[in-house]
Structures are given as structure tokens and as C-alpha cells.
Amino acid sequence: MKLAPAIEEFIRYKQALGNSYTTPARALKAFLRQTGNVDFAELNAHHADAFLLGHSGRVTSVWFHRYSVLGCFFRFSTSRGYIQHRMLPSSIPEKPPRFVPYIYSTEDMRRLLGVPDSHYSPTCPLSPDTMRTLLLVLYGTGLRLGEAARLKHEDVDFRRAMLTIRETKFGKSRLVPIGRDLVSILRLYRMRHRPRFGYERPPTVLTTKIGMMIGNDHADHQFQWLRKEAGVLRFDTARYQPRLHDFRHTFAVTRLVTWYREGKDVQRMLPLLSTYLGHCGIDETSVYLQMTRELLQEANSRFERYVFAEVDHA
């Protein structure tokens, strides 16, 4: 049995179970490109080790993701009789330090949005207006970058203040309510970027300068320039500087802080946040709930009010 048809069979099997399996499928196809369409009899542990370590040659979070994907695929292949020997290492290395996301402050947002148009390079794929609108959408909704980039005009309901998010990470669509300020921002952006007479309107709301859907690489590259220009940097021991995906973490934490201040029952509200973010459960949402000083203060204040209320009733 060759590797390529076995991988295709496995991907179809996972998708038949209702899993979009997009990200793991990319990892398996990368393994195929690196290894070649060899027969299973030619596969050995060296092929797996080389893929797990990647170009860096170090154990990173990518190592553990690839280990998990290959492990599922090899178990499937063993059950089909394609493989008879162990491929993956039996001992798992220690995980690298836990990744700490960056939580953007309102001052960070002012700096990012305040970079003048004249500072943007003509070679930037996104116009200053598009970049600022993209940041406001991510900051105000907690969408994944790909979800924001794929938003089509028919997905934005200005009257109901609602976004329809399609092709999500888990293969499901969802409705995302948005605030009036963001409705106004998106409506004005669409008016400013109306196509000239005789030209078709691009399918997505946010586009590059040439009317193409925004690619993750282009957006990430331009944002890295923008945050340096705005002076939005981190000086702790974190492995990465602020990223676009950190706006999703920021949204989740900001929502919790707001609920604490409004006196809401946060535990009862968490499932709503999970649904809003497009997660299948609270466990996935908990990854985004980075404990910040502001969130800790609000939680402590809530606890103190609870304790003193108990004392008063005693």
C-alpha cells in the first residue's frame, strides 16, 4: 500500500464522521510531501522523526501537534493492515513552556489605529483603511483571522446587527451579534470601497488593494510591521511578539471583565461565550481566558462581595 492513497482514505474517513479535518489533513499532506509517496514497507521511524522535528530541529508545540496527527493516522493504518511496525517514538519529550498570549489594551488599539496613512508602504497588500477595519472586526468580535477574511457581503446583516460565520474550524456555521459601533464601521467601509462603475464588487467584505480575499500571510506580515510602527511590543519572556490571533484572546478576557463589572453570573455566561467564539465546549474556550491583572481584580472584588454578604447574613 502506498502512502498517498492511505492518507486520502484516512482523511475521507475522518470527514465522514462529521469532522472537517482541515488542519490535520494539511499536516498529513506535508508529511507526504516530505517523505514521498513511498510504500508502507519502506517507511521507518527516521521518516517520522524528521517530520516531527521539522526545519528547526527542535521540539516545539508543532512537534506535539504532528505527533498526535501521525499517531491517529498510523493507528488507522495498523487497523487496516497497511503497517506492521511502530513508527513514532515511544517516549514523549517534555513540552515547551506554555504559550502566553498578549492581551491588547485600549491604549494599544489607539496606537495601532493611529498610525498615519503616510507611514504605510505603497507595497503593503492592505490599504490603511482595510487594515484598521480588520483590526476593529477582530477586536470587536473575537473572530479567527480566516473567518473575518472570508466574510462575504451577504454574511453581514446590518439591520439585525449580525454576522453569519461559515466554513468554521469545526465545519459549522454560526451567527455572531455585533455592536452598533461595529455596524457603522462596516457600513461606512463598504461605502468607501464601492467598486467603480462597470466593475464587479469583490465577493468578500475586506479585500486587498487588488480586490482579492485577504490571505493570512499577508495580514500577519503587515500587522508585524504595524505593531512595530505603533510601538506595541512585549518585553516579558514570551516566545512571540503580539499576534493577530491574540485579538481573539483579548476579546474573551475583555468579555469576562465586562461581565464581572456588570454583576453577571460569569459561570452561567461562559457557555454563551463558548458558543459565540464557535467552540464545541468550555474546555476549548478556557484556553483563551488568560488571567490578567484586570481580570484578577474583578474576580477578587466579586469574591470579597460574596464573603462580606455571607458575614452580614451570619
Side-chain angles (χ1 to χ4, degrees), residues 71-87:
C72 290
F73 171 63
F74 288 149
R75 284 192 295 273
F76 172 85
S77 302
T78 301
S79 70
R80 296 297 194 275
Y82 302 153
I83 189 171
Q84 307 295 332
H85 52 284
R86 185 177 180 85
M87 296 286 185

Side-chain angles (χ1 to χ4, degrees), residues 12-300:
R12 289 196 300 269
Y13 165 74
K14 297 296 285 187
Q15 291 173 341
L17 296 176
N19 192 332
S20 63
Y21 212 65
T22 305
T23 302
R26 281 200 292 265
L28 287 174
K29 290 176 182 178
F31 177 62
L32 175 63
R33 287 194 299 272
Q34 180 172 315
T35 306
N37 188 24
V38 299
D39 194 276
F40 270 95
E42 301 175 50
L43 274 178
N44 56 55
H46 294 296
H47 291 112
D49 285 339
F51 179 66
L52 291 175
L53 290 172
H55 298 298
S56 67
R58 297 182 294 107
V59 174
T60 64
S61 57
V62 174
W63 190 99
F64 290 91
H65 170 67
R66 291 180 171 183
Y67 182 91
S68 174
V69 172
L70 286 183
C72 290
F73 171 63
F74 288 149
R75 284 192 295 273
F76 172 85
S77 302
T78 301
S79 70
R80 296 297 194 275
Y82 302 153
I83 189 171
Q84 307 295 332
H85 52 284
R86 185 177 180 85
M87 296 286 185
L88 294 176
S90 54
S91 60
I92 300 178
E94 184 178 350
K95 283 193 174 185
R98 180 176 177 270
F99 174 73
V100 179
Y102 185 81
I103 305 301
Y104 294 96
S105 66
T106 52
E107 178 58 29
D108 289 334
M109 286 301 296
R110 290 192 190 98
R111 290 182 179 181
L112 291 167
L113 299 175
V115 172
D117 290 6
S118 58
H119 288 207
Y120 282 74
S121 169
T123 61
C124 287
L126 309 185
S127 69
D129 189 31
T130 298
M131 192 66 193
R132 284 192 285 266
T133 304
L134 173 63
L135 295 186
L136 288 168
V137 169
L138 296 177
Y139 184 75
T141 63
L143 294 181
R144 302 177 181 93
L145 175 58
E147 292 173 344
R150 289 191 298 268
L151 273 177
K152 296 182 179 180
H153 294 277
E154 57 267 29
D155 295 333
V156 183
D157 188 334
F158 292 114
R159 185 179 60 82
R160 298 169 57 206
M162 192 82 68
L163 304 178
T164 300
I165 309 301
R166 311 177 195 274
E167 304 175 43
T168 67
K169 181 178 179 181
F170 301 99
K172 296 180 180 180
S173 297
R174 70 185 191 278
L175 296 177
V176 173
I178 58 177
R180 286 177 295 180
D181 289 343
L182 189 54
V183 168
S184 299
I185 289 167
L186 288 172
R187 180 179 276 125
L188 289 172
Y189 175 84
R190 191 166 73 166
M191 291 177 62
R192 289 193 298 268
H193 291 266
R194 281 179 176 171
R196 288 176 291 173
F197 180 77
Y199 288 81
E200 290 187 5
R201 187 172 66 178
T204 56
V205 176
L206 300 169
T207 66
T208 64
K209 291 177 181 177
I210 60 174
M212 302 292 290
M213 189 180 81
I214 297 172
N216 286 11
D217 291 343
H218 285 151
D220 285 329
H221 180 75
Q222 186 160 330
F223 178 71
Q224 290 308 313
W225 165 82
L226 179 63
R227 64 159 188 79
K228 292 176 185 175
E229 187 72 16
V232 177
L233 309 168
R234 66 189 308 173
F235 300 97
D236 52 19
T237 58
R239 290 174 289 153
Y240 301 103
Q241 287 293 328
R243 313 162 304 159
L244 279 172
H245 193 66
D246 290 332
F247 282 103
R248 190 163 164 84
H249 293 268
T250 301
F251 176 86
V253 170
T254 302
R255 180 47 32 202
L256 252 65
V257 170
T258 302
W259 281 336
Y260 271 122
R261 290 175 176 171
E262 293 175 348
K264 301 285 181 63
D265 186 337
V266 174
Q267 293 302 315
R268 293 186 63 183
M269 300 295 284
L270 278 177
L272 300 179
L273 178 61
S274 182
T275 301
Y276 188 95
L277 291 172
H279 290 152
C280 294
I282 296 177
D283 287 345
E284 296 162 42
T285 308
S286 65
V287 175
Y288 291 87
L289 302 181
Q290 173 72 20
M291 181 57 72
T292 63
R293 182 172 60 182
E294 191 175 26
L295 182 56
L296 184 61
Q297 288 174 344
E298 294 299 328
N300 287 339

